[in-house]
Amino acid sequence: IEPNDLGVDQVFKCIINLKLCIEAMTATIWKTLSPFWGEEYNVHLPPSFHTVSLHVMDEDSLSRDDVIGKVSISKEALTSKPQGLDGWMNLTEIDPDEEVQGEIHLQISLLGDGDVPHKLCCRVLEARDLAKKDRNGASDPFVRVRYNGKSHESAVVKKSCYPRWNESFEFELDDTLADSLLCVEVWDWDLVSRNDFLGKVLFNINRLQSAQQEEGWFRLGPDKPKHSQHEGTLGSLRLQLRLRDETVLPSSHYQPLTELLSQSVGTHLNGNWPDLIMLIDETTTSENRQEVANNLVKLFLGQGLIKEFLDVLFKLELEKTTEPNTLFRSNSLASKSMESFLKVAGMQYLHRLLGPTINRIFEEKKYVELDPNKVELKDAGCTGLHRLHTEADVIQQSSSLLQSYLSELLAAILQSASYCPLLLCQALQQLYYRVQACFPDPEYRKVKFIAVTSFLCLRFISPAIMSPKLFHLREKHADARTSRTLLLLAKAVQTIGNLDTLVCCSKEPWMIPLQPAIQQGISQLKDFITRLVSCHDSEDLCLQTRMSLQCGTMEKEGFLFLHKTKDKCIPMTSPFKKYYVTLSKDTLSYSRTQHSKKTSFISLPKIRAVEKVEEKCFGSPNVMQIISSEDSGQQETLYLDCKSVNELNQWLSALRKACSHNTNTMSSYHPGIYKADRWSCCHQKEKTDPGCDKTRHGVTLQEWYDPLDPDLEAQLIYRHLSTRLLICSFSMLPDHKMVDGVTRLFTILQDLHEAHAAVEEKERLKNKNVFLELQT
C-alpha cells in the first residue's frame, strides 16, 4: 500500500472477502503507512462466486477494526486475464449499498381476463445467503416491492440470512408506461438506526407480457454507486491475482500421459535421452516455470519417481553448464523443481531445524546492527545508568549476538543429519555425485558442495530465516528490529552457503566481525554435507509409502474450544470448553490436556460434513461444525471455536482433505443451530430437516502438505503442454533423438483435448436445456 494522508498510522491488515464471507486474513503490520506482506493464499472458490474483495483494515485492540478501503475484482475481470492480474490497484471507499450478496426466490405473473392482463402479481417466496448486517452475525430482512409509484412491504424475519416469506403482492397494470419496471428490494430492519440495504432485482414488465409468468432464483444486485469523496486518496494495494478453472477428467484419461512421463525419466538409465522432459524444459517460460515445476514434482512424487525425475533435470542442467560458478544459480526448471521438492519433502525438517533459533530471536528482540551507516544509538539503549552506547559498543554487541545465533543454528544443522528425511538425503546425494562426476578436476573440488548448498542454504534455509511467516515458522511478521536481525543472520548463512568469505566481505566490509564464525561455519557445513550424502538405499522404506507418510497425511493439532451436542439443548452461557485436538490419519481426537489418557475421538469415515457456523449462533465468527453419524444412525455435531479466521480455514481445509474419500456425505446442511425448537438459520421446526445451504466438500486452502492428487497434476501439465505446443509447431521444436516419444505425446494431447471438448459440449447442452425450461 502506498502512503496516504488519512493519518492512519497504527497497524494494517488485509482481509480477503468472498461475497462478504471472510476467507483469509493476513498478519498485521504495525505502525506503518506502507506495509509489505508478501503473503500468498490459494483459496477454492465456489463456481457461483461473482466478486473477490480485499478489505484493508486498521486493527484496534479495544474497539472494532476500522475499514480503510477495499479492492474488488469481478469474476469477469479475472476470466478475461487468463495469465492473471498484477499491479497496483486503488483502494475505494466501502459503500454499504454496494456490499450485497445472495439470491431471492420470486414468482412474477400477469393476471387478467383472457389474453388481456390487468394485474401484476409478485410472490416473494424466500431468500438465501443474504449479507450479515447486524452485530449478531445475521440480519432482520424484509422485502419492499415497488411498481408505478406504489409499494408493499413484507413481514420482518428476525435474525436470519435464509428467510422465508411466502407472501404475494398485487398491482394494477398501467399500459401507458413506456418503461414499466418492477423493483424488488431486500432490507435489513433496524429498530434505532436506519435500515440497511441488502440488494434488489429489477424486472421489465413489458418483456414479461409474452411469457405471462416467470419464476426462479434471482441474484440480488447493488444500488446505484455514489460518488466517493475520498476517490484516489485512500492509497493503493499491489496484488497478483489469477483465477484458474480446471475440469479434471476421470483417471483413465490421464493414464497414457502419466505413463509417458514415467517412461521419460526411467529410460535414461539405459542410455536413451529423456526427450519429453527436455521438451517440457524448453517450452516453459519464466512466468510459468515455477508452476510447472510444482505440478511435475507432485506428479512424480505420486508415481514414486521423484528421485529419477530430479536426476534427469540435474543431468540436463549439467549438460548446458560450462561455467561451474553459475551452476543451478538461474531459475531453470531444475532449480525450480528442486526448490519445490524441498518445500514438500523438507518442511517438517525445516521447522525442527530453525524453530528454536527463530523463536529465540523473536522473544529476545535485541537491537542488532553491523552497518555503521545504519546504527541508531537511540534504539540501542544504555550500557549503564547514564552512559549511552557508542557506535563501537553497538557493533561489538551485535557481532556477539549474531555469532551466538549463528553458532546455535550451525549446531542444529550438524545435528540434523540424523533426522533429515531420507528422500531429501537421497536427492542431495544424487546431485552431489552428478556434479562431482561432471567436474572431477581438483580446482573444482568445492563445486559439488556449492551445488548442494545452493539449494539447501540459498533457496531453503536462508529465505525461511528472512521470512519465517511465509514458511509457517511464525504466525506474525517480524517487527522492524527483529526483521533486521533475521536479515543479517540470513546474510551470514548465505555467505556460508557460498563457501567464500572474501566475496561477501569485499562487498559489505562491515560483515568482517563475523568472518571467523563464518569460516568455522563453512568447515562445519562441509562436514554436514559429507554426512548427509552418505546415506544408503538399504535404509530406505518403500519410496511411495515413505512419501505418503511425509506429505500425504493431514496431521494437525492444537488447543481449541469445543462443544458437543446430540439431543441436548445448547445452554445460554458459553458452552465451549478448552480441549487439545489432534487430527491423525484415521481419527479426530480431543482431550482436556495434551497428554491426557482420557480421550474422545471421531472416526474420520463417519464424518458427513465439515462446515462453518453463522456468527450469530455463538457470537463468534470463527466457529465450525463437524457433523458425523454413529453406528446406530444417530447424527451428532461437534462445534469448534477457533481463535482466528486463518486458523478456522486451516482446520476446515485439513478436515475436508482428510475426509475427501468419504462416501456418506451430506449434500446440504444448516449454517445455524437448533435452538428453541427451530433452526436459527431458516426457522424450520423439524430437527431432521435436510438443511438450507449446500455443503462445501472441496478444500478451503492449498498447502504444500496437501495429499497428492495425480489427476489434478496431470491435468495442469496437460494444460501447459497443450498451450505451449499450440503456440509452436513441429517445425519450431528442437531436434530430439526420440521423435516417437514426441509424436506419442501429441496423440495423447489430442485425445485429452477431444475428451475435454466432449465434457464442455455436454455441459453447454445441459445449461441450454435449463435455460429453455426457465423460458418456457
Side-chain angles (χ1 to χ4, degrees), residues 32 57 126 164 234 264 277 290 309 381 386 411 420 429 472 477 518 548 620 662:
T32 180
M57 316 288 288
E126 57 185 325
R164 294 188 180 184
L234 298 179
S264 68
I277 300 300
Q290 182 67 71
F309 167 64
H386 299 292
C420 183
Q429 183 187 54
H472 309 291
H477 288 289
I518 290 174
S548 67
S620 170
N662 289 6

Side-chain angles (χ1 to χ4, degrees), residues 108-110 117 120 147 173-175 177-182 202-215 218 771 774-776:
I108 314 296
S109 56
L110 299 178
L120 169 65
Y147 172 75
L173 277 177
D174 189 348
D175 297 332
L177 294 177
D179 193 10
S180 184
L181 292 177
L182 174 71
L202 294 175
F203 294 93
N204 191 326
I205 302 304
N206 295 331
R207 295 181 182 178
L208 189 64
Q209 297 280 353
S210 58
Q212 296 294 314
Q213 180 174 309
E214 185 171 355
E215 179 182 353
F218 301 94
F771 177 75
L774 285 174
Q775 289 301 311
T776 303

